[in-house]
Each structure stands twice: as structure tokens, then as C-alpha cells.
């Protein structure tokens, strides 16, 4: 159980690093597009669409990594006054609620992503650009976040078992 949770966390940290690197790639694309507009009086064809796809990847791949590092937003005003056991129980309950919500979003995103892939959904801007990869990235990112929530729950339960046996 711990090995699976550790593997999920490691994978999500790699995805978070990848998301961070995408920031540099997006910056490079935008800078090239701006330079092309300034010097050649024309934009790089598809630069905006590609930057949007990469931004979606950056955001949705980064969610699970942030959760793995404990860096996602949380409000602890009430919970900070709890004892260790009650704090752990509150953590598990909130993670289960989050898992239900994120799991539902992931499921709906996969359905939409698969439908978009089957239909070859495209945007119509300066160039025709496929939309389905971004829909699949959203679904994948939400799935990885759901798995990270499961890993957090498993860790909390294992910690509770260790505390009970001590």
C-alpha cells in the first residue's frame, strides 16, 4: 500500500517538474511570436494555439504535483485546533470529499476527451488546431490528482494504523 502511494507521489512530482518546464517552453513560444511580429510584421502560425495547449498541460499536470508536495490551497483555521487523531480523521474526510469531486470531474473529462478524439474536434483560428489533446490532458491531469488524493488517504490510514499499534 505504501509502495503504491510512494510510486504515485513520485510520478506526480515528475509531472509537476514537467509542468514547470512547460513555463519556459511557453515563454519561448510567446517571445518568438512577439519577435516575429516586431521584425517580420507577422506572427508565427499556430503559436497562440500551441501556447494555449501547453498552458492547459502546465495547469492540469501541475495539480497532482502540488498535491503531492502539500502545496495546494487549504484552510486550516478550525483543524489546527484539533488533536492529532481528529486532525487525521478530518484530513481523511476532506480528502474523500475531494476525491469524489475530482473523480467525477475526471470521469466526465475522459468521456468528453474520448468523444473529442473520436470526432477529431478542432478549433478554428489562424490555423485549424486539434482540441482533443487538450481535453485528454485535462482528463489525465484530473485522474493523476485523484490518484494523488488516494495516495494521501492511504498514507493517512497507514499512519493511523502505526499510531494505534505503538
Amino acid at each position: 500500500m505504501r509502495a503504491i502511494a510512494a510510486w504515485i507521489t513520485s510520478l506526480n512530482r515528475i509531472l509537476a517538474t514537467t509542468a514547470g518546464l512547460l513555463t519556459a517552453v511557453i515563454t519561448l513560444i510567446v517571445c518568438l511570436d512577439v519577435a516575429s511580429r516586431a521584425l517580420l510584421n507577422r506572427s508565427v502560425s499556430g503559436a497562440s494555439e500551441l501556447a494555449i495547449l501547453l498552458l492547459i498541460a502546465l495547469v492540469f499536470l501541475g495539480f497532482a504535483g502540488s498535491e503531492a508536495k502539500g502545496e495546494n490551497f487549504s484552510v486550516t483555521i478550525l483543524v489546527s485546533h484539533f488533536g492529532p487523531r481528529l486532525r487525521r480523521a478530518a484530513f481523511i474526510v476532506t480528502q474523500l470529499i475531494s476525491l469524489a469531486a475530482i473523480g467525477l470531474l475526471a470521469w466526465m473529462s475522459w468521456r468528453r476527451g474520448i468523444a473529442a478524439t473520436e470526432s477529431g474536434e478542432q478549433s478554428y483560428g489562424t490555423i485549424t488546431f486539434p482540441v482533443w489533446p487538450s481535453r485528454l490532458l485535462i482528463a489525465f491531469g484530473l485522474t493523476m490528482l485523484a490518484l494523488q488524493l488516494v495516495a494521501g488517504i492511504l498514507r493517512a490510514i497507514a499512519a493511523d494504523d502505526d499510531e494505534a499499534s505503538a
Side-chain angles (χ1 to χ4, degrees):
M1 191 160 77
R2 287 183 188 188
I4 293 170
W7 182 82
I8 291 168
T9 298
S10 295
L11 177 60
N12 283 327
R13 287 187 175 172
I14 291 168
L15 291 176
T17 302
T18 303
L21 293 173
L22 288 176
T23 304
V25 174
I26 292 168
T27 302
L28 179 64
I29 290 169
V30 170
C31 287
L32 287 173
D33 191 39
V34 169
S36 178
R37 287 177 193 218
L39 300 172
L40 305 174
N41 202 25
R42 63 184 284 234
S43 65
V44 175
S45 184
S48 296
E49 292 84 355
L50 181 58
I52 290 169
L53 173 65
L54 294 176
L55 182 62
I56 290 168
L58 184 155
V59 170
F60 283 90
L61 295 180
F63 280 154
S66 294
E67 183 65 29
K69 294 177 182 178
E71 295 174 346
N72 276 340
F73 178 76
S74 64
V75 179
T76 59
I77 295 171
L78 180 62
V79 177
S80 64
H81 298 292
F82 293 170
R85 283 191 180 267
L86 191 53
R87 190 176 303 135
R88 185 176 295 109
F91 174 81
I92 292 170
V93 168
T94 58
Q95 293 293 93
L96 287 169
I97 293 168
S98 297
L99 178 59
I102 296 300
L104 179 63
L105 288 172
W107 175 69
M108 292 177 0
S109 295
W110 277 114
R111 289 186 61 196
R112 185 67 183 108
I114 291 167
T117 303
E118 289 172 348
S119 70
E121 185 178 0
Q122 300 176 347
S123 69
Y124 299 99
T126 56
I127 66 167
T128 302
F129 202 82
V131 173
W132 60 266
S134 60
R135 296 201 186 279
L136 292 177
L137 279 169
I138 291 168
F140 178 72
L142 290 170
T143 301
M144 294 310 296
L145 177 56
L147 288 174
Q148 187 59 50
L149 292 169
V150 169
I153 293 166
L154 292 175
R155 273 200 194 90
I157 290 169
D160 196 27
D161 289 342
D162 291 345
E163 185 178 277
S165 65

